[in-house]
Amino acid sequence: MGRYFRVLGLFWGAAIAAEMEYRVNFLLASLSSLGNLLGSLFGLFLFYRTGYRFAGWSWQEALIVLGIFTLLQGFSSTVLAPNLNKIVQQVQDGTLDFVLLKPVSSQFWLSTRTVSLWGLPDLIFGLAIIGYAGRSLGVNISGYLLSAIPIFFGLISLYSLWFMLGATSIWFVKIYNVTEVLRGLLEAGRYPMVAYPMAYRFFFTFVVPVAFLTTVPAEAMLGKGEFGWVLGAGVLAVGLFLVSGLFWRFALRFYTSASS
């Protein structure tokens, strides 16, 4: 593990140095993230402005769900998108050959090779919203720490889903539309699951596990969740992570090397 952490430090150090050559992009990314956040806040405000509220969710509690969603969005922009979207290019160009020959796990290399600073504004905005809403609700430090567990599980689940979609590029090459479909489905995580009809709740819980990404961590933070849901989030995360590794090795059996 120590060797992998050293490699990760080298990867991200070089990536950050390269990204800092274009500092104006960070300002533009910040403005874009702020615009998206204001749009999300306005959409949520439209529900609550007339006194309506999602069943069992006050305005501040719904803000925590939105904050966790923004946090996950920042994680995707910082780590997932810049790495996993490149799998398509590497398959097309044949440079995946060089990755497979390296003395580290190819899944690790493909998942962590670079990092983008342009997702940091979403991470900061997400933490700010969670902090503001949590302070308004009187959430104590134990609530934040307890929610960190399902949030971590959510990050693992989100990564696993994204990586498996990236692995399908070995068969389909151009998968941009598929990743956009996943991104669109995950947009449902902006609001608590009770905002949707029962059929949609079932779909976003047991088919596309959006509920485990935002609503379950928010419930854990607010002390209104059940241990079974947190345990389910952990089982889901571990299961998806193991499946992603198996699926990658299965996909490689169909990869036609550029040198053979």
Side-chain angles (χ1 to χ4, degrees):
M1 287 298 296
R3 180 166 67 98
Y4 277 92
F5 280 120
R6 289 193 297 271
V7 171
L8 184 63
L10 293 174
F11 281 169
W12 287 9
I16 292 173
E19 294 280 358
M20 289 301 292
E21 295 180 8
Y22 308 95
R23 299 179 185 180
V24 176
N25 287 355
F26 183 78
L27 176 61
L28 296 177
S30 299
L31 293 175
S32 176
S33 297
L34 181 60
N36 290 334
L37 178 60
L38 291 176
S40 298
L41 288 171
F42 179 72
L44 188 61
F45 171 74
L46 291 178
F47 287 102
Y48 283 86
R49 66 186 178 88
T50 59
Y52 172 83
R53 56 185 288 172
F54 299 134
W57 292 83
S58 66
W59 163 255
Q60 290 86 356
E61 291 172 337
L63 278 181
I64 288 181
V65 176
L66 179 59
I68 295 175
F69 171 81
T70 305
L71 195 68
L72 293 177
Q73 197 171 43
F75 172 72
S76 298
S77 300
T78 303
V79 180
L80 300 184
N83 283 294
L84 303 183
N85 287 349
K86 289 186 177 180
I87 297 178
V88 177
Q89 180 182 353
Q90 290 167 333
V91 172
Q92 287 179 317
D93 297 342
T95 53
L96 183 59
D97 294 12
F98 303 110
V99 177
L100 299 177
L101 292 174
K102 295 183 183 299
V104 294
S105 165
S106 57
Q107 182 173 352
F108 171 82
W109 197 99
L110 292 168
S111 303
T112 62
R113 177 62 183 84
T114 188
V115 65
S116 174
L117 297 178
W118 319 138
L120 289 181
D122 279 331
L123 291 173
I124 295 172
F125 291 149
L127 290 173
I129 293 175
I130 293 171
Y132 165 76
R135 182 177 180 183
S136 300
L137 293 168
V139 176
N140 54 35
I141 188 65
S142 62
Y144 290 114
L145 293 177
L146 185 61
S147 68
I149 299 173
I151 287 176
F152 175 74
F153 290 152
L155 294 176
I156 298 298
S157 297
L158 182 60
Y159 157 76
S160 302
L161 289 172
W162 202 306
F163 185 80
M164 284 189 283
L165 281 180
T168 61
S169 62
I170 289 180
W171 292 285
F172 305 114
V173 184
K174 294 184 179 180
I175 59 167
Y176 177 77
N177 291 336
V178 179
T179 57
E180 285 303 303
V181 169
L182 176 62
R183 194 191 300 269
L185 290 173
L186 295 178
E187 290 287 325
R190 293 178 185 270
Y191 309 113
M193 283 296 106
V194 296
Y196 302 99
M198 185 59 67
Y200 288 93
R201 292 185 214 173
F202 180 87
F203 179 79
F204 288 128
T205 302
F206 300 105
V207 180
V208 180
V210 177
F212 292 101
L213 301 183
T214 57
T215 300
V216 170
E219 289 177 338
M221 183 181 298
L222 297 169
K224 57 196 303 183
E226 298 179 4
F227 176 74
W229 286 108
V230 177
L231 180 62
V235 171
L236 177 69
V238 173
L240 285 176
F241 184 77
L242 294 176
V243 169
S244 70
L246 294 173
F247 185 74
W248 174 242
R249 288 191 288 273
F250 172 75
L252 286 179
R253 295 169 55 186
F254 297 87
Y255 173 62
T256 302
S257 171
S259 59
S260 63

